[in-house]
Amino acid sequence: MKYAIQINASPYSSGCGETAYQFIHAVIENKHQVFRVFFYFEAIYQAFQFMTPPDDEVNLVQRWSKLAEIYHIDLVICISAAQRRGLLFEDEAKRRNKVDNELAEGFRISGLGQLAEAMLEADRFIIFR
Amino acid sequence: MRVKKFLFILSQSPHDGLWVQETLDILLTVAAFDQPVSLLFLDQGVFQIKKHQNSELINLKNTAAIFKALEIYDIQDIFSEVESLQEYGLKPGDLFLPVKEIYRKELPLFIKKFDIVCSN
């Protein structure tokens, strides 16, 4: 079965990211597919590459990057939600005469059309909020 | 292109951050994909379409304009839960959008009719 997943919350505001992460693992372990994970609203904070938690805590951003690398999961950050909150990737920053590149490895930035497509293509659509 | 029936449930009060604006962005994107979209106002969400709001005073865009534009996207299936309206003392005449009223006990069957339910 193909799953599309939307995540709504930032890493430390709730357990939403953790639940989503564990759910995605369960999907893969049970031989299902993750069509796409779409980060919207405050969830764009899950993709800031310079997040630097203390050494004895899990680095949640790096954990997403690793997940994308190992399982080739499509992690998409919504461009309008990201720009509003100050997450810019290099190309977009240049276009706006800014110097910035905050997007962590394994994520890509795109529009809401990617969410609509995921909802249409997947067998199941789940929002973690 | 596949077609799925979408229901967006709005249950948060207006002008509380950008929540409704960003939710409506999803809704309009889905509508632009030629998907049938319905909208349900629930709980404090019924205040989203109350008349005479001046969100400019708190430096937020007036989302009423977006709601009023839904017709252009052919979104006409707009529902509100009767009990939510009653709880906040609202009558259909207090709203700037015509809504179809639906009773709480009807909601489970109503929601089942949709392929995708977005409750952000």
Side-chain angles (χ1 to χ4, degrees), chain B residues 59-79:
Chain B
N59 299 306
L60 286 171
K61 273 190 197 167
N62 189 350
T63 42
I66 310 176
F67 281 112
K68 285 175 188 161
L70 293 180
E71 214 182 343
I72 301 167
Y73 287 82
D74 209 23
I75 299 168
Q76 285 155 6
D77 288 328
I78 301 173
F79 300 85

PDB file of all heavy atoms in Angstrom, chain B residues 59-79:
ATOM      1  N   ASN B  59      -3.327  43.238  11.922  1.00  0.00           N
ATOM      2  CA  ASN B  59      -2.320  43.026  10.872  1.00  0.00           C
ATOM      3  C   ASN B  59      -2.355  41.649  10.232  1.00  0.00           C
ATOM      4  O   ASN B  59      -1.321  41.070   9.918  1.00  0.00           O
ATOM      5  CB  ASN B  59      -0.921  43.314  11.418  1.00  0.00           C
ATOM      6  CG  ASN B  59      -0.787  44.745  11.879  1.00  0.00           C
ATOM      7  OD1 ASN B  59      -1.074  45.664  11.103  1.00  0.00           O
ATOM      8  ND2 ASN B  59      -0.438  44.946  13.126  1.00  0.00           N
ATOM      9  N   LEU B  60      -3.549  41.118  10.065  1.00  0.00           N
ATOM     10  CA  LEU B  60      -3.699  39.861   9.327  1.00  0.00           C
ATOM     11  C   LEU B  60      -4.574  40.130   8.108  1.00  0.00           C
ATOM     12  O   LEU B  60      -5.446  40.993   8.139  1.00  0.00           O
ATOM     13  CB  LEU B  60      -4.368  38.799  10.203  1.00  0.00           C
ATOM     14  CG  LEU B  60      -3.522  38.185  11.305  1.00  0.00           C
ATOM     15  CD1 LEU B  60      -4.384  37.324  12.220  1.00  0.00           C
ATOM     16  CD2 LEU B  60      -2.386  37.348  10.728  1.00  0.00           C
ATOM     17  N   LYS B  61      -4.294  39.381   7.050  1.00  0.00           N
ATOM     18  CA  LYS B  61      -5.131  39.504   5.850  1.00  0.00           C
ATOM     19  C   LYS B  61      -6.569  39.135   6.190  1.00  0.00           C
ATOM     20  O   LYS B  61      -6.803  38.256   7.022  1.00  0.00           O
ATOM     21  CB  LYS B  61      -4.628  38.535   4.777  1.00  0.00           C
ATOM     22  CG  LYS B  61      -3.543  39.104   3.900  1.00  0.00           C
ATOM     23  CD  LYS B  61      -3.314  38.137   2.739  1.00  0.00           C
ATOM     24  CE  LYS B  61      -1.981  38.415   2.070  1.00  0.00           C
ATOM     25  NZ  LYS B  61      -1.581  37.346   1.173  1.00  0.00           N
ATOM     26  N   ASN B  62      -7.495  39.763   5.515  1.00  0.00           N
ATOM     27  CA  ASN B  62      -8.892  39.420   5.716  1.00  0.00           C
ATOM     28  C   ASN B  62      -9.226  38.149   4.937  1.00  0.00           C
ATOM     29  O   ASN B  62      -9.320  38.169   3.714  1.00  0.00           O
ATOM     30  CB  ASN B  62      -9.776  40.577   5.255  1.00  0.00           C
ATOM     31  CG  ASN B  62     -11.222  40.345   5.644  1.00  0.00           C
ATOM     32  OD1 ASN B  62     -11.584  39.256   6.093  1.00  0.00           O
ATOM     33  ND2 ASN B  62     -12.037  41.357   5.465  1.00  0.00           N
ATOM     34  N   THR B  63      -9.369  37.043   5.682  1.00  0.00           N
ATOM     35  CA  THR B  63      -9.584  35.768   4.994  1.00  0.00           C
ATOM     36  C   THR B  63     -11.007  35.650   4.440  1.00  0.00           C
ATOM     37  O   THR B  63     -11.282  34.761   3.640  1.00  0.00           O
ATOM     38  CB  THR B  63      -9.298  34.570   5.931  1.00  0.00           C
ATOM     39  OG1 THR B  63      -9.848  34.851   7.207  1.00  0.00           O
ATOM     40  CG2 THR B  63      -7.822  34.302   6.043  1.00  0.00           C
ATOM     41  N   ALA B  64     -11.887  36.560   4.847  1.00  0.00           N
ATOM     42  CA  ALA B  64     -13.250  36.530   4.310  1.00  0.00           C
ATOM     43  C   ALA B  64     -13.218  36.593   2.781  1.00  0.00           C
ATOM     44  O   ALA B  64     -14.015  35.945   2.101  1.00  0.00           O
ATOM     45  CB  ALA B  64     -14.062  37.688   4.879  1.00  0.00           C
ATOM     46  N   ALA B  65     -12.279  37.382   2.259  1.00  0.00           N
ATOM     47  CA  ALA B  65     -12.171  37.528   0.802  1.00  0.00           C
ATOM     48  C   ALA B  65     -11.888  36.182   0.144  1.00  0.00           C
ATOM     49  O   ALA B  65     -12.427  35.887  -0.928  1.00  0.00           O
ATOM     50  CB  ALA B  65     -11.071  38.527   0.466  1.00  0.00           C
ATOM     51  N   ILE B  66     -11.044  35.364   0.804  1.00  0.00           N
ATOM     52  CA  ILE B  66     -10.718  34.047   0.238  1.00  0.00           C
ATOM     53  C   ILE B  66     -11.958  33.156   0.274  1.00  0.00           C
ATOM     54  O   ILE B  66     -12.282  32.478  -0.694  1.00  0.00           O
ATOM     55  CB  ILE B  66      -9.557  33.353   0.998  1.00  0.00           C
ATOM     56  CG1 ILE B  66      -8.376  34.319   1.154  1.00  0.00           C
ATOM     57  CG2 ILE B  66      -9.126  32.079   0.275  1.00  0.00           C
ATOM     58  CD1 ILE B  66      -7.233  33.764   1.979  1.00  0.00           C
ATOM     59  N   PHE B  67     -12.659  33.178   1.417  1.00  0.00           N
ATOM     60  CA  PHE B  67     -13.868  32.350   1.535  1.00  0.00           C
ATOM     61  C   PHE B  67     -14.899  32.748   0.483  1.00  0.00           C
ATOM     62  O   PHE B  67     -15.553  31.905  -0.119  1.00  0.00           O
ATOM     63  CB  PHE B  67     -14.476  32.472   2.935  1.00  0.00           C
ATOM     64  CG  PHE B  67     -13.776  31.656   3.969  1.00  0.00           C
ATOM     65  CD1 PHE B  67     -13.056  32.248   4.989  1.00  0.00           C
ATOM     66  CD2 PHE B  67     -13.819  30.268   3.917  1.00  0.00           C
ATOM     67  CE1 PHE B  67     -12.397  31.489   5.950  1.00  0.00           C
ATOM     68  CE2 PHE B  67     -13.174  29.494   4.868  1.00  0.00           C
ATOM     69  CZ  PHE B  67     -12.466  30.112   5.882  1.00  0.00           C
ATOM     70  N   LYS B  68     -15.015  34.061   0.268  1.00  0.00           N
ATOM     71  CA  LYS B  68     -15.999  34.518  -0.718  1.00  0.00           C
ATOM     72  C   LYS B  68     -15.597  34.134  -2.132  1.00  0.00           C
ATOM     73  O   LYS B  68     -16.441  34.062  -3.024  1.00  0.00           O
ATOM     74  CB  LYS B  68     -16.182  36.037  -0.602  1.00  0.00           C
ATOM     75  CG  LYS B  68     -16.999  36.432   0.626  1.00  0.00           C
ATOM     76  CD  LYS B  68     -17.063  37.940   0.767  1.00  0.00           C
ATOM     77  CE  LYS B  68     -17.702  38.332   2.092  1.00  0.00           C
ATOM     78  NZ  LYS B  68     -17.378  39.738   2.452  1.00  0.00           N
ATOM     79  N   ALA B  69     -14.297  33.911  -2.336  1.00  0.00           N
ATOM     80  CA  ALA B  69     -13.818  33.549  -3.675  1.00  0.00           C
ATOM     81  C   ALA B  69     -14.004  32.062  -3.975  1.00  0.00           C
ATOM     82  O   ALA B  69     -13.785  31.618  -5.104  1.00  0.00           O
ATOM     83  CB  ALA B  69     -12.339  33.918  -3.809  1.00  0.00           C
ATOM     84  N   LEU B  70     -14.433  31.295  -2.997  1.00  0.00           N
ATOM     85  CA  LEU B  70     -14.538  29.842  -3.197  1.00  0.00           C
ATOM     86  C   LEU B  70     -15.500  29.497  -4.336  1.00  0.00           C
ATOM     87  O   LEU B  70     -15.319  28.496  -5.028  1.00  0.00           O
ATOM     88  CB  LEU B  70     -14.996  29.152  -1.906  1.00  0.00           C
ATOM     89  CG  LEU B  70     -14.001  29.186  -0.747  1.00  0.00           C
ATOM     90  CD1 LEU B  70     -14.574  28.474   0.460  1.00  0.00           C
ATOM     91  CD2 LEU B  70     -12.673  28.554  -1.155  1.00  0.00           C
ATOM     92  N   GLU B  71     -16.491  30.341  -4.513  1.00  0.00           N
ATOM     93  CA  GLU B  71     -17.469  30.097  -5.558  1.00  0.00           C
ATOM     94  C   GLU B  71     -16.820  30.061  -6.944  1.00  0.00           C
ATOM     95  O   GLU B  71     -17.217  29.280  -7.806  1.00  0.00           O
ATOM     96  CB  GLU B  71     -18.533  31.193  -5.506  1.00  0.00           C
ATOM     97  CG  GLU B  71     -19.909  30.682  -5.873  1.00  0.00           C
ATOM     98  CD  GLU B  71     -20.943  31.790  -5.867  1.00  0.00           C
ATOM     99  OE1 GLU B  71     -20.675  32.855  -5.273  1.00  0.00           O
ATOM    100  OE2 GLU B  71     -21.998  31.570  -6.468  1.00  0.00           O
ATOM    101  N   ILE B  72     -15.810  30.918  -7.114  1.00  0.00           N
ATOM    102  CA  ILE B  72     -15.098  30.972  -8.402  1.00  0.00           C
ATOM    103  C   ILE B  72     -14.470  29.615  -8.713  1.00  0.00           C
ATOM    104  O   ILE B  72     -14.372  29.204  -9.857  1.00  0.00           O
ATOM    105  CB  ILE B  72     -13.993  32.061  -8.367  1.00  0.00           C
ATOM    106  CG1 ILE B  72     -14.627  33.417  -8.069  1.00  0.00           C
ATOM    107  CG2 ILE B  72     -13.204  32.105  -9.676  1.00  0.00           C
ATOM    108  CD1 ILE B  72     -13.616  34.495  -7.706  1.00  0.00           C
ATOM    109  N   TYR B  73     -14.047  28.928  -7.652  1.00  0.00           N
ATOM    110  CA  TYR B  73     -13.437  27.608  -7.820  1.00  0.00           C
ATOM    111  C   TYR B  73     -14.492  26.501  -7.841  1.00  0.00           C
ATOM    112  O   TYR B  73     -14.172  25.331  -7.722  1.00  0.00           O
ATOM    113  CB  TYR B  73     -12.443  27.334  -6.682  1.00  0.00           C
ATOM    114  CG  TYR B  73     -11.165  28.118  -6.788  1.00  0.00           C
ATOM    115  CD1 TYR B  73     -11.100  29.433  -6.351  1.00  0.00           C
ATOM    116  CD2 TYR B  73     -10.007  27.559  -7.338  1.00  0.00           C
ATOM    117  CE1 TYR B  73      -9.934  30.170  -6.451  1.00  0.00           C
ATOM    118  CE2 TYR B  73      -8.844  28.278  -7.440  1.00  0.00           C
ATOM    119  CZ  TYR B  73      -8.809  29.586  -6.993  1.00  0.00           C
ATOM    120  OH  TYR B  73      -7.646  30.311  -7.090  1.00  0.00           O
ATOM    121  N   ASP B  74     -15.744  26.924  -7.942  1.00  0.00           N
ATOM    122  CA  ASP B  74     -16.839  25.967  -8.007  1.00  0.00           C
ATOM    123  C   ASP B  74     -16.988  25.152  -6.716  1.00  0.00           C
ATOM    124  O   ASP B  74     -17.416  24.002  -6.745  1.00  0.00           O
ATOM    125  CB  ASP B  74     -16.659  25.040  -9.225  1.00  0.00           C
ATOM    126  CG  ASP B  74     -18.017  24.572  -9.737  1.00  0.00           C
ATOM    127  OD1 ASP B  74     -19.007  25.269  -9.474  1.00  0.00           O
ATOM    128  OD2 ASP B  74     -18.079  23.497 -10.367  1.00  0.00           O
ATOM    129  N   ILE B  75     -16.590  25.759  -5.599  1.00  0.00           N
ATOM    130  CA  ILE B  75     -16.759  25.082  -4.314  1.00  0.00           C
ATOM    131  C   ILE B  75     -18.058  25.592  -3.690  1.00  0.00           C
ATOM    132  O   ILE B  75     -18.137  26.735  -3.234  1.00  0.00           O
ATOM    133  CB  ILE B  75     -15.561  25.364  -3.382  1.00  0.00           C
ATOM    134  CG1 ILE B  75     -14.282  24.841  -4.039  1.00  0.00           C
ATOM    135  CG2 ILE B  75     -15.767  24.702  -2.011  1.00  0.00           C
ATOM    136  CD1 ILE B  75     -13.015  25.291  -3.375  1.00  0.00           C
ATOM    137  N   GLN B  76     -19.072  24.770  -3.747  1.00  0.00           N
ATOM    138  CA  GLN B  76     -20.375  25.199  -3.256  1.00  0.00           C
ATOM    139  C   GLN B  76     -20.895  24.314  -2.128  1.00  0.00           C
ATOM    140  O   GLN B  76     -21.892  24.630  -1.488  1.00  0.00           O
ATOM    141  CB  GLN B  76     -21.384  25.217  -4.416  1.00  0.00           C
ATOM    142  CG  GLN B  76     -21.160  26.416  -5.329  1.00  0.00           C
ATOM    143  CD  GLN B  76     -21.658  26.189  -6.725  1.00  0.00           C
ATOM    144  OE1 GLN B  76     -22.279  25.177  -7.015  1.00  0.00           O
ATOM    145  NE2 GLN B  76     -21.382  27.124  -7.608  1.00  0.00           N
ATOM    146  N   ASP B  77     -20.214  23.191  -1.932  1.00  0.00           N
ATOM    147  CA  ASP B  77     -20.650  22.289  -0.869  1.00  0.00           C
ATOM    148  C   ASP B  77     -20.028  22.718   0.451  1.00  0.00           C
ATOM    149  O   ASP B  77     -18.993  22.209   0.867  1.00  0.00           O
ATOM    150  CB  ASP B  77     -20.258  20.850  -1.220  1.00  0.00           C
ATOM    151  CG  ASP B  77     -21.126  20.322  -2.360  1.00  0.00           C
ATOM    152  OD1 ASP B  77     -22.302  20.738  -2.432  1.00  0.00           O
ATOM    153  OD2 ASP B  77     -20.626  19.522  -3.156  1.00  0.00           O
ATOM    154  N   ILE B  78     -20.679  23.676   1.079  1.00  0.00           N
ATOM    155  CA  ILE B  78     -20.156  24.245   2.320  1.00  0.00           C
ATOM    156  C   ILE B  78     -21.147  23.950   3.449  1.00  0.00           C
ATOM    157  O   ILE B  78     -22.325  24.296   3.355  1.00  0.00           O
ATOM    158  CB  ILE B  78     -19.921  25.753   2.157  1.00  0.00           C
ATOM    159  CG1 ILE B  78     -18.924  25.971   0.997  1.00  0.00           C
ATOM    160  CG2 ILE B  78     -19.391  26.366   3.450  1.00  0.00           C
ATOM    161  CD1 ILE B  78     -18.715  27.413   0.620  1.00  0.00           C
ATOM    162  N   PHE B  79     -20.641  23.285   4.477  1.00  0.00           N
ATOM    163  CA  PHE B  79     -21.503  22.797   5.552  1.00  0.00           C
ATOM    164  C   PHE B  79     -21.082  23.393   6.891  1.00  0.00           C
ATOM    165  O   PHE B  79     -19.915  23.728   7.099  1.00  0.00           O
ATOM    166  CB  PHE B  79     -21.418  21.268   5.648  1.00  0.00           C
ATOM    167  CG  PHE B  79     -21.835  20.557   4.399  1.00  0.00           C
ATOM    168  CD1 PHE B  79     -20.930  20.338   3.364  1.00  0.00           C
ATOM    169  CD2 PHE B  79     -23.151  20.125   4.233  1.00  0.00           C
ATOM    170  CE1 PHE B  79     -21.319  19.691   2.196  1.00  0.00           C
ATOM    171  CE2 PHE B  79     -23.547  19.479   3.070  1.00  0.00           C
ATOM    172  CZ  PHE B  79     -22.636  19.256   2.051  1.00  0.00           C
TER     173      PHE B  79
END
